Amino acid sequence: GVQTCALPIYYYHWMTEILPKIQFIQEINILNFTKNILVSISVKKTESFLKTIKNALKDLKVNLIFLEPSEIYKVKNLYVISSPNSILIKSNKTITSPKYIFLNESLQYVRNLVFEMVKNYNQKKLLNISNELKNKNGKLNIFLSRKKGSAREYNQDEICKMLVQECDIKQIYIEDYSIEEQAFIFLNADLIIGAQGAAWTNLLFCKKGSLAISWIPKHLKDFSAYSTLAEYYGVAMHFIEANPRNIKKLHSGYNVPLNELRKKIRHLNFK
């Protein structure tokens, strides 16, 4: 079998490290030796993961085999494909590396794959989403809000109030949308604002010239994965330094200076 991933995975790992492996499974003709693709059971349990890998494999005659992380499996011939991209491994103690390496070809593979899914999606539903999110000037400006209980809590409520009331920016929970809808929203967004997190993986789908504003605590300033994606796709991404409540804890809560955010938006002169 071909192993793509065996452990539980997260959205940014899936989109940048795991899913791109399918491209190389096809290119190096490894399916001449096996028709079994081994993936974590978390793929089956996550709609966006399952939809994307099924679309990637739709023209191939393969068997998807889902692995439980707590089980031990015996495989006669195991083929392992290295990831074409390197990104942070999730940790509660430290950032494993401030260096991020992306193969543009593999990111483009994922972008094209999802855009094909968007093309075949309910277009009326996408149009309705666009109309709901646009402001009075016809701009699609969004704030990526986090649900209660998320890691690294911050002064989200007052930021949301300012953005909605003063700037006519729409608050959304991006995880409530399908993968096709998320790609469509980021592709059509003029301005995206939000805390650092997996939602920014969707920079993969942005149009050139869109704007982004995010914030990051001082002790995490070396985390450049999302700003690198922004650079790849021509997104002007700006950052504000947040104040951590406990600098000794990697996932400590923090506070975002509200006036700094106001200044940044005014500086961009964005309507």
Side-chain angles (χ1 to χ4, degrees), residues 4-259:
T4 58
C5 57
L7 298 174
I9 43 182
Y10 301 90
Y11 185 66
Y12 54 89
H13 291 303
W14 176 255
M15 298 299 284
T16 63
E17 293 183 318
I18 310 302
L19 188 60
K21 292 183 181 183
I22 303 300
Q23 175 188 12
F24 298 101
I25 287 175
Q26 296 170 300
E27 288 186 357
I28 64 179
N29 296 321
I30 201 168
L31 296 181
N32 289 337
F33 305 97
T34 180
K35 299 298 183 183
N36 298 321
I37 307 294
L38 313 181
V39 297
S40 167
I41 191 65
S42 60
V43 174
K44 188 175 184 179
K45 296 177 180 178
T46 308
E47 182 184 19
S48 58
F49 296 177
L50 190 59
K51 288 173 74 173
T52 48
I53 196 169
K54 281 189 172 182
N55 272 273
L57 297 172
K58 65 181 180 181
D59 296 325
L60 304 175
K61 294 180 180 180
V62 298
N63 305 310
L64 268 180
I65 299 176
F66 301 99
L67 307 181
E68 292 280 0
S70 60
E71 297 292 331
I72 297 175
Y73 298 88
K74 184 177 181 180
V75 181
K76 184 176 182 180
N77 294 303
L78 181 64
Y79 304 92
V80 180
I81 297 180
S82 300
S83 173
N85 304 303
S86 175
I87 195 170
L88 170 75
I89 298 298
K90 186 175 176 64
S91 169
N92 291 321
K93 296 181 179 180
T94 184
I95 291 180
T96 54
S97 171
K99 298 178 181 179
Y100 305 99
I101 302 171
F102 294 110
L103 179 63
N104 195 29
E105 176 189 345
S106 71
L107 297 181
Q108 195 62 38
Y109 168 80
V110 174
R111 181 178 166 100
N112 292 340
L113 172 68
V114 177
F115 279 167
E116 186 65 25
M117 293 168 61
V118 172
K119 182 180 177 182
N120 296 321
Y121 196 68
N122 186 327
Q123 298 301 303
K124 184 177 180 180
K125 188 173 183 180
L126 295 178
L127 180 60
N128 289 338
I129 290 173
S130 177
N131 291 335
E132 289 171 2
L133 296 181
K134 285 182 179 178
N135 65 16
K136 60 186 178 182
N137 295 320
K139 296 290 186 179
L140 205 162
N141 303 337
I142 56 173
F143 169 51
L144 303 173
S145 194
R146 286 180 171 182
K147 294 183 178 180
K148 298 295 182 182
S150 300
R152 296 188 297 277
E153 290 186 344
Y154 68 99
N155 51 325
Q156 176 173 275
D157 290 345
E158 65 174 345
I159 289 175
C160 183
K161 183 178 179 181
M162 185 271 285
L163 293 176
V164 172
Q165 295 183 1
E166 298 180 22
C167 307
D168 195 18
I169 292 172
K170 297 295 177 71
Q171 175 192 25
I172 67 169
Y173 295 99
I174 196 67
E175 63 268 34
D176 289 343
Y177 294 88
S178 70
I179 181 64
E180 295 92 343
E181 292 163 356
Q182 290 185 40
F184 176 83
I185 289 169
F186 270 71
L187 174 63
N188 289 278
D190 297 292
L191 173 65
I192 307 163
I193 298 178
Q196 286 286 283
W200 287 103
T201 308
N202 289 315
L203 285 163
L204 275 166
F205 310 119
C206 279
K207 63 189 176 187
K208 185 177 181 179
S210 55
L211 298 177
I213 302 175
S214 189
W215 40 84
I216 193 166
K218 183 177 181 179
H219 64 301
L220 296 178
K221 65 180 181 180
D222 286 336
F223 184 80
S224 59
Y226 301 128
S227 57
T228 303
L229 286 177
E231 178 70 20
Y232 270 35
Y233 292 103
V235 178
M237 193 169 193
H238 302 261
F239 288 91
I240 296 170
E241 187 175 296
N243 303 312
R245 296 167 191 164
N246 187 342
I247 199 168
K248 294 182 179 180
K249 292 185 178 180
L250 185 66
H251 295 294
S252 167
Y254 57 83
N255 291 299
V256 179
L258 204 59
N259 285 332

